[in-house]
Amino acid sequence: MSYEFITVSIDETVGLITLNRPKILNALNLQLVDELVAELERMDRDPAIRVILITGNEQAFAAGADINEMAEASAIEIMKRNQFAVWDRMSLISKPIIGAVSGFVLGGGCELMMNCDIVIASETAQIGQPEIKLGVMPGAGGTQRLTRAVGLRKAMEMLLTGDPISAREAWQYGLVNRVVPVEAYLQEALKLAKKVAKQPPLAVQVIKKSVHKAEDLPLQEGMDYERSGFYLLLASEDRKEGMQAFLEKRKPRFTGN
Ligand code: CO8
């Protein structure tokens, strides 16, 4: 498949998607989001890929939705585009998504980052939801996922001022997993992706889904959900292999069955 606004490659079993509109700081136009979601879904189905990594460039992960595309459109036109129907499909991806972010991570860019399961940030990253400065508000999870991630007061401050926070502050609030020098962020994310890619794929996917359920479900329902996953994985070939390998004091060979 050929794309205009993203590039795609594979490194061992890690699928790498790079946002590629550098002249306008990877602003997310409709076509870019279409391409991104199509490729995420393709990689999710591709048995050769176990983990997906999304990145941008050093200057910008993404500076938000493409303001040119929104500026002239009426509310009804934007509603009729139904762009969030595509966006929301990202949360159905079953393989883990690692984000490697640097530079501007703003608006829709921050919301895209929050769609990633694990995030490695360069120390140059500036992360925020500046929509209020444009007279609007986030529409792809900025008030919901950010509040769950950093807590009500910090989210309120970020959303009402529109000011970005530094990578280090984002790390203190648990919004990103790790902050590394700009020269290293992509390699660090790739190293982590390869580590997760070596784990048994079924367990990885069931754990991912179960962790996300913790954001939505009351505790006891979440515990019930977790237990179903636990029993399900006991039926997998990889469980036999994992336990056998432990007993035989050798490395397991996981197949995803
Ligand atoms: N949309 C379109 N073009 C952009 C965007 C954007 N979001 N951000 C930057 N650009 C363009 C600039 O217009 C400029 O283009 P040109 O060279 O043709 O003039 C180029 O990128 C470089 O930008 P600057 O010259 O402004 O670079 P600076 O280093 O001076 O400033 C900033 C960088 C601070 C990032 C600044 O460009 C800026 O404030 N950008 C807008 C950030 C923003 O407000 N983002 C939120 C957008 S709204 C949103 O995301 C709603 C999400 C709803 C869900 C969407 C799902 C897809």
Side-chain angles (χ1 to χ4, degrees):
M1 220 149 151
S2 75
Y3 298 115
E4 189 179 350
F5 296 128
I6 61 170
T7 63
V8 172
S9 60
I10 180 165
D11 187 334
E12 295 179 8
T13 55
V14 177
L16 182 68
I17 301 176
T18 306
L19 309 184
N20 190 28
R21 288 187 91 196
K23 284 195 185 128
I24 57 168
L25 307 177
N26 289 336
L28 305 168
N29 63 357
L30 294 169
Q31 188 182 331
L32 188 156
V33 175
D34 277 349
E35 291 180 6
L36 172 65
V37 173
E39 185 56 26
L40 283 169
E41 289 176 338
R42 196 202 64 73
M43 287 184 172
D44 210 27
R45 290 190 301 269
D46 184 344
I49 289 173
R50 290 192 173 180
V51 173
I52 301 168
L53 197 160
I54 304 180
T55 193
N57 56 55
E58 285 183 11
Q59 200 192 0
F61 177 61
D66 188 332
I67 297 170
N68 299 309
E69 219 174 43
M70 282 189 299
E72 302 300 330
S74 71
I76 299 300
E77 278 163 353
I78 292 182
M79 196 184 102
K80 281 184 172 171
R81 285 176 189 168
N82 197 16
Q83 67 197 74
F84 297 117
V86 177
W87 183 271
D88 289 346
R89 290 191 347 236
M90 264 191 276
S91 58
L92 297 176
I93 300 298
S94 57
K95 291 176 185 171
I97 304 176
I98 313 265
V101 306
S102 178
F104 298 114
V105 187
L106 302 176
C110 182
E111 290 166 320
L112 177 59
M113 182 195 81
M114 290 190 288
N115 261 295
C116 298
D117 301 304
I118 301 177
V119 178
I120 304 297
S122 118
E123 58 195 5
T124 65
Q126 298 179 44
I127 302 171
Q129 299 282 167
E131 288 87 345
I132 194 161
K133 295 180 180 174
L134 301 170
V136 289
M137 64 179 286
T143 63
Q144 300 305 301
R145 289 207 171 98
L146 187 67
T147 305
R148 282 166 165 78
V150 303
L152 185 137
R153 295 204 198 291
K154 190 64 191 172
M156 201 66 95
E157 183 186 343
M158 290 173 69
L159 289 155
L160 294 183
T161 65
D163 292 338
I165 58 174
S166 68
R168 205 146 284 283
E169 196 173 0
W171 172 74
Q172 281 162 349
Y173 278 91
L175 189 56
V176 304
N177 293 73
R178 220 171 288 167
V179 181
V180 296
V182 64
E183 312 78 56
Y185 79 101
L186 188 53
Q187 280 316 310
E188 188 74 11
L190 196 56
K191 202 166 97 189
L192 181 70
K194 287 181 179 174
K195 187 169 192 176
V196 176
K198 289 196 172 65
Q199 306 292 358
L202 282 177
V204 165
Q205 291 182 29
V206 176
I207 289 170
K208 167 172 170 165
K209 204 162 179 189
S210 194
V211 172
H212 281 291
K213 289 285 179 195
E215 296 205 305
D216 298 333
L217 296 178
L219 183 62
Q220 195 50 52
E221 279 177 48
M223 295 293 283
D224 291 344
Y225 186 88
E226 176 183 281
R227 212 129 300 160
S228 310
F230 175 78
Y231 293 134
L232 178 74
L233 290 173
L234 288 176
S236 69
E237 291 296 318
D238 279 346
R239 168 260 183 148
K240 276 191 214 146
E241 168 63 10
M243 295 189 179
Q244 199 62 34
F246 176 81
L247 295 174
E248 292 169 7
K249 302 192 188 306
R250 61 171 173 84
K251 281 200 168 156
R253 287 178 296 271
F254 294 122
T255 61
N257 293 306

